[in-house]
Amino acid sequence: MATSSERSPPPFPDSEDQDLLEDVGGPESDADDGEDLFLSASSPPVTSMDTALPPASKPSDVLMEPPIDSISNPLIKPVTSQTENKPTSEVVSETFDDFFDLTNNITEAAAKDTADISLDEPSDRFVDILGSETPATQEEVMAADVSVAAATDKRDVTNSVTDPPAVGKKEVKEASTAPVINLSVDSSASKTQQPVAVDKVAEPLVDFLSDTPPAVDAPKPSSAAVDLFEDDGSDLFADPRLIKSSKKPQKSLFGETDEDLFGEPMVVNTKKSISKEQKDKPVSSKGAAGDGVSVAGPLEVSNPTEPADIFTEQGTAAVSSVGNASTVNSKTNGTCSEEEADIFSEATVELSLDSPQNERKTEVKAKPSAPTPSLSATTSHAKPQSSAIEELEQEEEEEEEDKFDIYVSVKDPEKIGDGMNAYMAYNVLTQTTLPMFRNKTLSVKRRFSDFLGLYEKLSEKHGPNGFIVPPPPEKSILGMTKVKVGKEDSSSVDFVERRRGALERYLQRVVNHPSLLQDPDVREFLERDELPRAVSTQALSGAGFLKMINRATDAVSKMTIKMNESDVWFEEKLQEVESADQQFRKLHTLVETLVIHRKELSFNTASFAKSAAMLGSAEDNTALSRALSQLAEVEDKMEQLHQGQAENDTFCFSELIADYIRLLGAVRGSFDHRIKAWQRWQDAQTMLQKKRETEAKLLWANKPDKLQLAKEEIAEWEAKVTQYERDFERVSATVRREVVRFEKEKAKNFKRQIIKYLESLLQSQQQVIKYWEAFLPEAKAIA
Amino acid sequence: MMEEVKEGASALSVHGHNVKVTEALKDGDALTFLIVSEKLSGTGEYHVHRTYEDLEWLQHNLFSQEDVPGIQGVIFPPLPARPQVNPPAKAVKQLGVLALGEWQPYCRALETFLQQVASHGTLCKNKAVETFLTDADPPGKQRARRNLFNRLSQAVEELRKEGHKDVDEFFHAERGRNAVATGGAKNAAERFLDVVLTQQKIAVACGHFSAALHLCVEPGEDPDKQAFSKLCVKLSEVFESMKKNMMNVAENNVNTLGLGLDLESRYQEAEREMLFRRTCKMVEVENARRNAERAKPVKKAAMEEVKRATEDEFGHISKVAKDEVARFQGSRVQMLQRALVRWCEQQLLTARQSAEQLSQHLQAVRALGPRPA
């Protein structure tokens, strides 16, 4: 252990650090001693007691010094007070109270905040270790090996001696998110540990209680002080994993792989509960853990390769973070890392020693209530993440395939009912080879509002996650009223056909989206005979829809001003999307103009054909008369071609562009959701800041009752901050991926349409040639 | 139109059917036409500049040839309506296809007018024609008044005399036929003009779309983006060629069938005017007869004289008119046939070119893009 501790600092021989190290030289030696205690059976503890106790004052100094740099007040107070408590309070009753409060707080905090969890773990383990200590002493070495084994998965470390430090470093990394602070906390914890150990020797059982508080106390202040958390989001992510990986082996969850990462907090908790409670409780906690595992399960199954990657990543992350940690360590004091390492190994030991701790039960009986909620909290918080990751990976997989064996067509628009209550119903035909559907071909009848209802459901579910949900065509009061009134003129036919096409493309886009296809509502829409009537789609009338989009756009632009965009990619994309939107709108107007002209041409050609026919009939010259009536026929055919061309323009470009204007709206919507997530995160941070300030005030005012509440709140908000930050990052990642997918689809879509367009254009041109070729001899025949 | 050149060679020093209007020069709001005619001697060409006023002067001179018997039975080649620089919508309606383009159609129409005049058996003998085609200086200052035969007075009399029972069955039938044909030709010409105008609009719209597509090109290294940009550029090219194709189609329409229908329409109108003049003369003859019958003995001789003179004139007119109508029928069929054939040929050519281009574009697009489809 000592060797390891010596090793870690050297790589970062900053002059300051070294100074620090020198200053802390005393504690360091103490820590070593303490470790030795742990490592070397039960007898050493006594000696360690001696060494540890005198330093007890020192640790506080140490604590006070480094924290001041980073955190100033909050840390100092609690730590000092606690440290004072510990040595003095060997009385069970006093510590008991402390213990309860502390543990409760801690567990909750742990539940919500991964960082906290990491802190807690050491403490928990520490507790366990204490409980198990005597029996564990011998096994500690073993435990170290085990943890090492876990670590070795990630790195190839063979030496058990070297390993522990590594593990310790990892933990330090976890803490490194809040670098100085956490470390200091850890150190404090570690230092308190030593006293604890001392206590134990004296009064095994009672001491546990008294011991644990200090350890627990240490983490709390740290969490309160940890402003730095926000800065290193990625580290946070990496860290919990590290913990897990090390723990997994113990839990024999190895097979479960990544998900454990997320499940881990739970695992930790379960451990706690196990250690502290009876065997009964553990069962429930394990059940909870099982949930986490089950969540993890699918992922693991689907992506056997992924876990490995994660591991390697973790490994690398671990290495780099070790570097960081060590530097941090060197700053605060070299002992920290060692001690933590010890803690870690101890924790592992504890895990294996669940059963021996029965003794505790009696005293700890009150606790169980606190730990369990924390468990549930962790599960709930672990789940979304895992599911999000699941989604990501699924999508990646499916994107590579990119072939969707599902084709949806919307056919046979049909007016049902009369008057203003009439509505259009469509046949939705699905052809698929996907096993998720009951049949290869599905046919259902859906009305327009059902399509809108589907969109609402999808956008509600997937929009906030940053997915670009393809929007359906808007409601059109004007168009539909015409249809309802029952005018069978060309414009209402055109309207119905346009809408039918738009609905078909909309559905096809939905089923082409790998994530949306999985949605049960989509399946239900395609499969189920009767859908519950979609409500509240009335609000989505054409104008309303447009307004909504505009409002969203405004909101986005307003928000972007507020949000100092850190991601250049998003900034550029938003610009692009907006300019593309303008371009598409312009193109749409132009194509619509073109279509109008085509229709006009078709109309004019028809009337010219008529007048040519009249001219022919009035013609005396038979040959000329015949030629003119031939001409009229040719022009009639031309009219059909022009008509077709107008439709071609409409459906190849006009509607496509209209689709993309809608889709760009959806893209902006996803940006909007991302910014909302960001906003939520920022708000949470602000709130957390406030809570901390309150706590600081309370600390000075020395109101322990309220302080407790404030601490709970802080923990709660810390958890929220990390949660929201993670949400934001998840949404950002999703939006990014979705936009890339959108662009890919856009290019493909346009290409397909252009080819289709050119083909039909070519065809109609060839038709024109044919017509002229047929007419030429007629014209020549006029004598 | 009138192909046979009776004595035309002797009357003019130029080839009547070879007169060309090569260009229209715009000077402010005034248009000057460069008229080129080949000398009979083969020693060169006459190049003269004429304004629309000069053309009116020529037409006036043709109309007012009092000394030529039966002149009113001639179907005068119709002079296109007065051209206007930046014509208002109403004028465009009046000018028809002639208002399109940079006056090339108008020049063609003028050319046809001059050729018809110069190769007309009777009209080419008028000194004014020779002067108009060969004199370097523009003809005399005196501007033609709106002459009797002009459309202004026509409207009023028309109603009164149009339905007048004809003494000659031939002319009666011809009047009926002409009335239908005039309406039909006018209508057809107008409808065809609409078609052409719409085609031009489409060409313009294609051009706009093509230009707008160029703005969709996004810079960036991203392959998807580049693919999309390439598609935009390609589509822009496609629409550019569609635009050109549509322009060609419209131009073909104007230059062949458009001009043909316009000429047909104006000639029917001219025939109608001729028939109307004859009808007027006929009414005049009838009045003279009635007057002669009712005349008191003192005036009887004079009235008889008037009657005979009128009857003679009417006879001449009818004779000339009969020939003119026959000639007109033959030549207009030929003219229309030529217009139709050329129209068909040109459109066929354009359509083939377009199809060729389109298939090239199609190939290019297929080769482009994110992934070969």
Side-chain angles (χ1 to χ4, degrees), chain A residues 220-262:
Chain A
K220 273 202 243 157
S222 73
S223 64
V226 182
D227 291 49
L228 303 175
F229 263 162
E230 299 149 9
D231 302 341
D232 305 0
S234 58
D235 288 2
L236 285 179
F237 273 84
D239 299 343
R241 290 176 185 173
L242 292 174
I243 301 167
K244 289 181 204 164
S245 59
S246 60
K247 285 171 186 173
K248 278 185 230 156
Q250 302 161 351
K251 269 271 170 181
S252 78
L253 293 176
F254 213 57
E256 289 159 347
T257 62
D258 327 280
E259 284 309 322
D260 293 3
L261 297 177
F262 301 102

Side-chain angles (χ1 to χ4, degrees), chain A residues 393-410:
Chain A
E393 281 158 7
Q394 268 186 2
E395 245 207 82
E396 276 164 26
E397 277 183 359
E398 280 173 52
E399 241 178 342
E400 277 160 30
E401 293 172 16
D402 202 65
K403 261 295 168 197
F404 301 100
D405 295 325
I406 179 163
Y407 296 96
V408 181
S409 51
V410 176

Side-chain angles (χ1 to χ4, degrees), chain A residues 237 241 258-259 262 292 295-296 298-299 302-303 306 310 379-397 461-462 464-467 513 515 680 723-735 737-738:
Chain A
F237 273 84
R241 290 176 185 173
D258 327 280
E259 284 309 322
F262 301 102
V295 172
L299 222 189
S302 59
N303 305 340
E306 286 284 321
I310 290 171
T379 48
S380 64
H381 136 87
K383 266 186 189 173
Q385 251 223 325
S386 63
S387 65
I389 285 187
E390 229 180 309
E391 278 172 1
L392 300 191
E393 281 158 7
Q394 268 186 2
E395 245 207 82
E396 276 164 26
E397 277 183 359
K461 263 189 276 183
H462 300 282
N465 290 331
F467 283 108
H513 195 294
S515 302
R680 210 168 45 153
Q723 167 74 46
Y724 290 160
E725 189 190 1
R726 230 176 267 163
D727 281 352
F728 170 67
E729 268 157 20
R730 184 170 47 80
V731 170
S732 294
T734 311
V735 169
R737 212 179 38 249
E738 285 281 286

Side-chain angles (χ1 to χ4, degrees), chain A residues 576 604 619 751 759 773, chain B residues 198 225 332 352 366 368:
Chain A
E576 276 175 27
N604 286 337
E619 181 57 53
K751 186 187 170 185
E759 279 170 351
E773 279 173 347
Chain B
T198 315
K225 232 192 270 178
R332 70 173 268 279
R352 282 186 177 137
R366 282 208 173 111
L368 261 186

Side-chain angles (χ1 to χ4, degrees), chain A residues 58-223:
Chain A
K58 269 189 185 176
S60 65
D61 297 347
V62 175
L63 284 175
M64 290 190 67
E65 288 168 10
I68 288 165
D69 302 333
S70 55
I71 322 151
S72 66
N73 322 337
L75 232 183
I76 303 166
K77 264 214 169 181
V79 173
T80 51
S81 64
Q82 285 160 11
T83 45
E84 285 171 11
N85 286 343
K86 297 167 207 162
T88 53
S89 66
E90 292 188 358
V91 187
V92 183
S93 62
E94 279 185 26
T95 49
F96 205 67
D97 297 344
D98 290 351
F99 187 53
F100 275 123
D101 297 347
L102 296 173
T103 46
N104 289 345
N105 294 341
I106 294 160
T107 48
E108 282 177 12
K112 285 158 196 166
D113 212 346
T114 50
D116 289 2
I117 292 165
S118 67
L119 291 174
D120 291 355
E121 289 165 21
S123 66
D124 295 346
R125 288 166 196 168
F126 182 48
V127 175
D128 297 337
I129 292 156
L130 295 175
S132 60
E133 236 216 36
T134 39
T137 41
Q138 290 177 348
E139 293 180 38
E140 276 174 8
V141 183
M142 288 275 294
D145 290 346
V146 174
S147 64
V148 170
T152 48
D153 293 342
K154 294 152 196 171
R155 321 145 146 222
D156 300 327
V157 187
T158 47
N159 282 345
S160 61
V161 181
T162 51
D163 296 345
V167 176
K169 284 169 193 169
K170 284 173 190 170
E171 283 208 11
V172 172
K173 286 177 210 161
E174 297 160 17
S176 72
T177 47
V180 183
I181 301 162
N182 286 349
L183 290 174
S184 66
V185 171
D186 292 352
S187 64
S188 70
S190 60
K191 277 159 191 171
T192 51
Q193 280 176 5
Q194 293 158 3
V196 170
V198 175
D199 293 353
K200 286 177 207 162
V201 178
E203 306 165 351
L205 251 176
V206 179
D207 288 4
F208 291 147
L209 299 174
S210 63
D211 295 346
T212 46
V216 171
D217 286 356
K220 273 202 243 157
S222 73
S223 64

Side-chain angles (χ1 to χ4, degrees), chain A residues 614-615 618, chain B residues 158 162-163 171-187 265 268-269 271-273 275 329:
Chain A
M614 269 169 56
L615 208 58
Chain B
E158 210 167 357
E162 196 85 304
F171 282 108
H172 191 75
E174 187 61 21
R175 270 161 60 188
R177 193 207 57 76
N178 172 262
V180 176
T182 309
K186 200 171 160 64
N187 188 35
S265 162
Q268 291 288 359
E269 194 78 22
E271 193 201 9
R272 188 165 137 200
E273 278 174 28
L275 290 171
Q329 290 304 343

